[in-house]
């Protein structure tokens, strides 16, 4: 099926508008079935050099194309993605495993981002300000930076790439993109779409290969002036150190330990829905996934009871089947990491209420599946309540008050997303002020960010930059302040005239 959809058995790099094959490849495995979907190149640093050489030349021309015309390419990209939405979604499910309705949602995010960023081609606002002197004009403009690098993870193979590459391109940069080796198909498809949409050669280059080779070569390349990265904390910190040494701009998004707070006045059925969707959707493999539920002790028993009933109804299997709600884990390493956290949780004294085991009966044994898992009576300092598990595992932490709930929510090193279920408007406004995360939800789970608002977090989640929203343009542009003196004589500012 994948071969018919893809039309090829082997992907190729996209360099200077051409498909360039690489001899060394590795298979892309469908995590639901264990089958090979396609082979992907394992490029070396020379492909990065080639991509950068092409991008440097292309970017100079691209920056001179008026931004509304650059945006026209994005409109065409959005339309082509729309036409191919179902095919892209199916391929996304095959490479990543997420269930088809979520894959459709992710592709739609990319489409939305195309139209949203295309709109920025007619804005890219700067400022005009009064000047201090007569016959003088003062303004700030956004300038493209040059060649930029984006390094993307496997859990959102298309959405995250659009959050980064679309603003970069509309702002007049050229892009080198290294997708995760586990999920390269969306990059291959998006490069084809850009090509068909008429993007000039060299403005987008895709180099497939491992992070330690291709990613590392990008980070070290003198002519790549920005790195925008989403992935693990460890890799992000290493990238940041190297970029710091080179004074290279770097934007990082590195995960979370997100909580849903359930207060004693919450609509519990609604809270259960929010928890299920954000804890077990994408099998918990989202940086915004809910992995802690901070629950008021008065409603804890009732919440547990309702959660167990609803968890029992979750169907697990190959996400291409429309009836499936929870798909596989990306790979064996991911599965082993989750299993290890189950042991950690048990040893720490948390009570396992549901799940906690791998699923391998019948066809499930061909993939990597883990049962949706609920721990209760966890304490805020346990490792299962502090560290990112990246799987369908959620821990209930009982608290006695609203103030304690906020404190527990904020007592982790990450700060991406949080949510509160309550019907008290005063608590809502206090919570949105006091929750120390980049994203706050009220009466909804911790996932489901919309592309027109900034995406990112506080503390260990990132380094202050944001993907998505108009704020993404700040990553891919320099501010230039321009003073035009039309007095015909040399006027001197900063002279004290008193
Ligand atoms: N914040 C988030 O959304 C994500 C968080 N994670 C977390 O990270 C854990 C491990 O996942 P993993 O995929 O290994 O995460 P990584 O951080 O290793 O991978 C993310 C991206 O960075 C690349 N990369 C890896 N090493 C380097 C390097 N030295 N220099 C430059 N780029 C590099 C990867 O390439 P390649 O994989 O091709 O080698 C991939 O494209 C997960 O279990 C989860 O906890 C993972 C994904 C997303
Ligand atoms: O669901 C969301 O809020 C976006 C999720 C995402 O991009 C992620 O978790 O990596």
């Amino acid at each position: 099926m994948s071969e018919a959809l893809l039309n090829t058995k082997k992907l190729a790099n996209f360099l200077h508008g051409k498909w360039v094959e690489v001899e060394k490849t590795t298979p892309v495995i469908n995590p639901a079935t264990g089958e090979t979907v396609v082979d992907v190149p394992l490029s070396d640093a020379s492909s990065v050099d080639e991509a950068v050489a092409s991008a440097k030349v292309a970017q100079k021309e691209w920056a001179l194309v008026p931004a509304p015309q650059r945006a026209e390419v994005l409109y065409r990209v959005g339309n082509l993605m729309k036409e191919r939405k179902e095919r892209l979604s199916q391929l996304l499910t095959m490479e990543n495993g997420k269930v088809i309705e979520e894959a459709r949602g992710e592709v739609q995010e990319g489409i939305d981002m195309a139209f949203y960023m295309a709109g920025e081609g007619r804005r890219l606002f700067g400022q005009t300000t009064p000047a201090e002197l007569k016959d003088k004009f003062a303004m700030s403009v956004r300038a493209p930076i040059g060649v930029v690098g984006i390094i993307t993870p496997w859990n959102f193979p298309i959405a995250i790439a659009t959050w980064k590459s679309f603003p970069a391109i509309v702002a007049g940069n050229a892009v080198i993109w290294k997708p995760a080796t586990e999920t390269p198909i969306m990059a291959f498809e998006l490069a084809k779409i850009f090509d068909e949409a008429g993007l000039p050669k060299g403005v987008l280059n895709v180099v497939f290969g491992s992070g330690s080779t291709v990613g590392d070569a990008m980070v070290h390349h003198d002519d790549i002036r920005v790195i925008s990265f989403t992935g693990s904390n460890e890799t992000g910190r290493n990238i940041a150190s190297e970029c710091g040494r080179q004074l290279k701009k770097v934007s990082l998004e590195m995960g979370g330990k997100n909580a849903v707070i359930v207060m004693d006045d919450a609509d519990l059925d609604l809270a259960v829905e929010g928890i299920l969707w954000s804890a077990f959707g994408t099998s918990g493999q989202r940086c915004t996934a809910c992995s802690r539920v901070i629950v008021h002790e008065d409603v804890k028993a009732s919440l547990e009871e309702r959660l167990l009933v609803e968890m029992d109804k979750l169907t697990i299997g190959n996400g291409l089947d429309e009836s499936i709600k929870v798909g596989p884990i990306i790979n064996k390493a991911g599965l082993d990491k989750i299993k290890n956290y189950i042991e950690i949780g048990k040893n720490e004294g948390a009570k396992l209420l549901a799940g906690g085991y791998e699923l391998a009966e019948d066809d499930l044994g061909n993939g990597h599946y883990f049962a949706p898992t609920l721990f209760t009576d966890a304490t805020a300092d346990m490792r299962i309540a502090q560290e990112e598990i990246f799987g369908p595992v959620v821990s209930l932490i009982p608290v006695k008050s609203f103030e304690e709930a906020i404190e527990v929510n904020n007592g982790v090193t990450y700060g991406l997303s949080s949510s509160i279920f309550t019907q008290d408007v005063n608590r809502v406004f206090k919570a949105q002020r006091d929750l120390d995360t980049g994203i706050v939800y009220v009466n909804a789970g911790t996932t489901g960010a919309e592309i027109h608002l900034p995406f990112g977090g506080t503390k260990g989640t990132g380094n202050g930059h944001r993907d998505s929203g108009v704020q993404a343009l700040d990553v891919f542009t320099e501010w230039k302040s321009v003073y035009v003196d039309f007095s015909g004589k040399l006027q001197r500012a900063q002279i004290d005239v008193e």
Side-chain angles (χ1 to χ4, degrees):
M1 181 173 179
S2 58
E3 213 182 307
L5 273 182
L6 254 179
N7 240 336
T8 181
K9 284 184 173 171
K10 185 174 160 186
L11 305 182
N13 286 336
F14 187 63
L15 305 179
H16 197 62
K18 294 197 189 77
W19 298 101
V20 181
E21 292 211 353
V22 172
E23 204 173 318
K24 199 168 163 203
T25 61
T26 188
V28 175
I29 306 293
N30 181 338
T33 62
E35 287 161 357
T36 297
V37 185
V38 73
D39 287 332
V40 60
L42 284 178
S43 314
D44 58 27
S46 68
S47 298
V48 176
D49 291 340
E50 218 180 303
V52 175
S54 154
K56 269 177 81 175
V57 175
Q59 193 270 329
K60 289 207 163 44
E61 291 294 315
W62 183 240
L64 298 179
V65 174
Q69 283 180 35
R70 297 198 294 253
E72 288 297 325
V73 175
L74 278 189
Y75 281 120
R76 290 197 290 274
V77 165
N79 281 326
L80 286 166
M81 288 175 77
K82 234 167 128 174
E83 274 170 31
R84 294 176 197 177
K85 179 172 170 182
E86 186 54 27
R87 182 170 160 273
L88 289 170
S89 307
Q90 293 194 11
L91 287 167
L92 171 51
T93 292
M94 283 180 211
E95 65 173 350
N96 166 281
K98 67 178 61 180
V99 300
I100 188 72
E101 65 171 355
E102 288 184 39
R104 290 184 189 121
E106 184 183 341
V107 174
Q108 186 58 44
E109 251 190 73
I111 296 167
D112 295 341
M113 192 66 191
F115 293 126
Y116 174 70
M117 269 301 147
E120 283 309 308
R122 288 197 178 267
R123 288 185 287 266
L124 286 178
F125 293 139
Q127 263 189 318
T128 58
T129 65
E132 288 174 359
L133 297 173
K134 206 175 149 203
D135 294 336
K136 190 177 171 194
F137 190 85
M139 64 185 161
S140 64
V141 293
R142 285 190 187 275
I145 299 183
V147 178
V148 303
I150 70 171
I151 301 179
T152 54
W154 48 263
N155 65 334
F156 276 78
I158 194 157
I160 292 177
T162 67
W163 297 352
K164 296 178 190 294
S165 63
F166 292 180
I169 286 173
V170 85
N173 301 283
V175 174
I176 315 292
W177 175 14
K178 193 215 93 63
T181 305
E182 256 107 357
T183 55
I185 296 172
M186 289 300 104
F188 179 73
E189 291 293 317
L190 197 56
K192 274 204 288 191
I193 286 175
F194 263 113
D195 198 28
E196 284 174 50
L199 187 74
K201 293 179 192 324
V203 177
L204 174 71
N205 300 273
V206 177
V207 185
F208 295 109
S210 76
S212 54
T213 306
V214 171
D216 191 66
M218 286 169 64
V219 170
H220 283 86
H221 204 296
D222 287 343
D223 291 328
I224 295 184
R225 310 231 342 243
V226 178
I227 293 286
S228 176
F229 167 85
T230 298
S232 66
N233 209 279
E234 193 192 346
T235 306
R237 279 172 194 267
N238 290 337
I239 290 176
S241 325
E242 177 53 30
C243 289
R245 204 187 57 75
Q246 295 176 51
L247 295 182
K248 183 179 286 193
K249 194 170 182 181
V250 59
S251 164
L252 305 169
E253 203 283 283
M254 302 176 296
K257 190 69 191 173
N258 316 292
V260 166
I261 297 172
V262 183
M263 292 312 301
D264 46 356
D265 65 341
D267 174 336
L268 289 188
D269 288 330
L270 195 64
V272 166
E273 247 185 84
I275 294 165
L276 282 189
W277 177 241
S278 51
F280 305 127
T282 332
S283 307
Q285 301 171 108
R286 287 187 185 222
C287 51
T288 51
C290 160
S291 63
R292 298 182 294 158
V293 173
I294 301 167
V295 57
H296 193 283
E297 59 183 6
D298 290 354
V299 291
K300 175 178 164 263
S302 179
L303 185 74
E304 283 170 2
E305 203 177 302
R306 291 168 202 235
L307 271 173
L308 288 174
V309 170
E310 293 307 316
M311 282 174 69
D312 212 34
K313 296 181 192 161
L314 293 172
T315 45
I316 299 155
N318 186 338
L320 281 178
D321 175 342
E322 303 271 354
S323 70
I324 293 296
K325 293 290 173 220
V326 182
I329 304 302
I330 187 73
N331 54 27
K332 184 166 181 312
L335 193 67
D336 290 344
K337 181 174 167 188
I338 298 165
K339 287 199 248 175
N340 190 35
Y341 272 108
I342 300 301
E343 292 315 306
I344 291 171
K346 285 186 200 161
N347 292 336
E348 285 177 317
K351 194 162 133 203
L352 187 61
L353 279 188
Y357 49 87
E358 182 181 354
L359 293 162
E361 69 271 18
D362 305 324
D363 287 353
L364 297 187
N366 298 325
H368 308 291
Y369 293 91
F370 200 81
T373 298
L374 180 64
F375 276 115
T376 191
D377 295 332
T379 55
D381 58 345
M382 287 180 178
R383 285 185 63 193
I384 54 163
Q386 287 285 328
E387 298 172 17
E388 191 175 49
I389 299 174
F390 236 58
V393 181
V394 69
S395 301
L396 261 60
I397 307 169
V399 292
K400 292 184 187 331
S401 65
F402 171 78
E403 289 71 23
E404 190 187 352
I406 300 282
E407 197 183 311
V408 170
N409 180 84
N410 294 346
V412 290
T413 54
Y414 293 102
L416 183 52
S417 180
S418 50
S419 124
I420 181 162
F421 283 84
T422 176
Q423 304 195 47
D424 177 340
V425 70
N426 295 336
R427 280 174 172 168
V428 167
F429 276 86
K430 277 188 192 148
Q432 66 78 28
R433 181 192 64 196
D434 295 342
L435 290 169
D436 188 3
T437 51
I439 306 169
V440 172
Y441 290 92
V442 175
N443 292 330
T446 54
T447 60
E450 301 184 22
I451 52 95
H452 38 256
L453 289 181
F455 183 93
T458 62
K459 302 187 283 184
T461 288
N463 64 340
H465 289 290
R466 293 291 185 268
D467 277 332
S468 208
V470 75
Q471 289 75 8
L473 290 168
D474 291 335
V475 175
F476 299 108
T477 52
E478 292 282 8
W479 280 113
K480 192 176 278 187
S481 299
V482 181
Y483 303 97
V484 180
D485 191 317
F486 52 98
S487 68
K489 53 185 190 267
L490 185 68
Q491 304 196 81
R492 286 179 296 167
Q494 295 171 352
I495 297 284
D496 193 341
V497 288
E498 274 191 355

